[in-house]
Amino acid sequence: MLRKLCSFPVWRTSLCLNGAWMALVLVMSAINGSVAQASDWQVLFDGSSLDGWVRSQDNKQFALEDGTIVGSSSGQTRFLYTEKQFADFELEFEARLHDTDLNSGVQIRTSLSRVNDKGQSRFSVHGPQVDLGKSPGRSGYIFGQGNGQWFTPKESLKSHSLMKNDQWNKVRVLAVGPHIQTWINGEKVSDLVNEEAYKKYPQGVVALQVHGVKNPEEKVRHVSFRNIRIREVE
């Protein structure tokens, strides 16, 4: 293919080779999980305000405390989601699960409504979720929030201890087309290609989750987030 593409006069050979080399670099970058063409980083949470975020159903489960977003458990699963939607992107954030009996996660490309057979719309958070839970566990794999199943295949759901309990953990997510990759504390967890999920959820909001718990009056559990930023991939 390279020979065919470069069947130009001698004076254009170097230009063609440079172009072919650049194409090869872009392919290798995608394989290695790096972002070859991306916009500048956008800060989604700077530690000073919740501007740009919306509480699902006007909940009081998310609060700004000491430069972090703190989610508190209740009897219902609640979300804090971005006003803006995103398609292909690289997302970075830090998360701390204070209580191991609380599950959390970060939604990506998530929808906020469902339409029934009568054409009536209702509020509903559903879409891919980067799971966050106790360690050892399945943190970093992709769950289908509102779909009742994992988007990550069952055979790939391998328990690991990359997520540190009651400590800050750095999480990176790279979503390009149907390919979603995740890292926790620099170690790759998920390398998922799911065409069906992508067709259903090609874009959507980013949302922080605090999962509902049984008997919430007995104990309030907490999860915290900070240093949230994103850059869109072209």
Side-chain angles (χ1 to χ4, degrees), residues 55 59-63 69-71 78-80 208-210:
R55 292 179 171 87
N59 72 76
K60 298 180 180 179
Q61 270 57 61
F62 290 93
I69 297 174
V70 179
R78 297 303 189 206
F79 301 88
L80 181 72
L208 314 181
Q209 182 210 61
V210 57

Side-chain angles (χ1 to χ4, degrees), residues 9-232:
V10 174
W11 64 273
R12 294 180 62 186
T13 300
S14 61
L15 178 61
C16 177
L17 289 175
N18 287 337
W21 172 250
M22 181 58 68
L24 178 61
V25 169
L26 293 176
V27 171
M28 293 305 295
S29 295
I31 292 174
N32 292 325
S34 59
V35 182
Q37 298 182 31
S39 60
D40 293 335
W41 285 105
Q42 303 174 48
V43 176
L44 295 181
F45 174 64
D46 62 4
S48 63
S49 76
L50 295 180
D51 291 347
W53 294 85
V54 180
R55 292 179 171 87
S56 66
Q57 299 163 302
D58 297 325
N59 72 76
K60 298 180 180 179
Q61 270 57 61
F62 290 93
L64 178 63
E65 297 182 13
D66 299 324
T68 67
I69 297 174
V70 179
S72 302
S73 64
S74 67
Q76 302 292 325
T77 298
R78 297 303 189 206
F79 301 88
L80 181 72
Y81 59 88
T82 57
E83 294 177 344
K84 184 177 179 180
Q85 295 192 12
F86 302 92
D88 290 351
F89 56 84
E90 181 179 17
L91 172 70
E92 292 184 346
F93 62 91
E94 292 180 63
R96 180 181 180 183
L97 199 66
H98 301 262
D99 302 275
T100 57
D101 57 347
L102 175 67
N103 179 260
S104 182
V106 172
Q107 301 287 142
I108 60 172
R109 293 174 172 169
T110 289
S111 297
L112 299 174
S113 64
R114 290 185 187 273
V115 179
N116 62 22
D117 295 337
K118 297 181 180 180
Q120 299 169 325
S121 178
R122 65 179 177 85
F123 181 83
S124 176
V125 178
H126 58 104
Q129 178 193 111
V130 180
D131 190 70
L132 299 174
K134 69 177 181 180
S135 185
R138 297 174 174 178
S139 295
Y141 294 114
I142 310 302
F143 182 72
Q145 173 70 31
N147 289 264
Q149 63 181 357
W150 288 90
F151 287 158
T152 297
K154 184 177 180 180
E155 61 272 17
S156 299
L157 290 171
K158 300 177 181 178
S159 181
H160 62 82
S161 299
L162 297 176
M163 184 84 170
K164 306 303 180 184
N165 295 326
D166 199 19
Q167 295 183 35
W168 285 108
N169 297 270
K170 294 183 178 180
V171 183
R172 177 188 175 215
V173 183
L174 180 58
V176 180
H179 194 186
I180 299 176
Q181 301 173 78
T182 65
W183 292 258
I184 294 179
N185 296 320
E187 298 292 332
K188 180 175 278 190
V189 178
S190 178
D191 197 341
L192 172 67
V193 177
N194 191 319
E195 295 282 356
E196 184 177 349
Y198 179 60
K199 288 179 182 178
K200 192 173 182 179
Y201 301 106
Q203 68 176 11
V205 301
V206 172
L208 314 181
Q209 182 210 61
V210 57
H211 203 283
V213 299
K214 295 181 180 179
N215 303 317
E217 67 282 352
E218 293 181 358
K219 175 186 176 182
V220 178
R221 290 84 164 174
H222 299 93
V223 58
S224 297
F225 301 91
R226 69 183 184 187
N227 297 330
I228 309 172
R229 65 176 188 169
I230 195 170
R231 58 179 177 177
E232 296 177 87

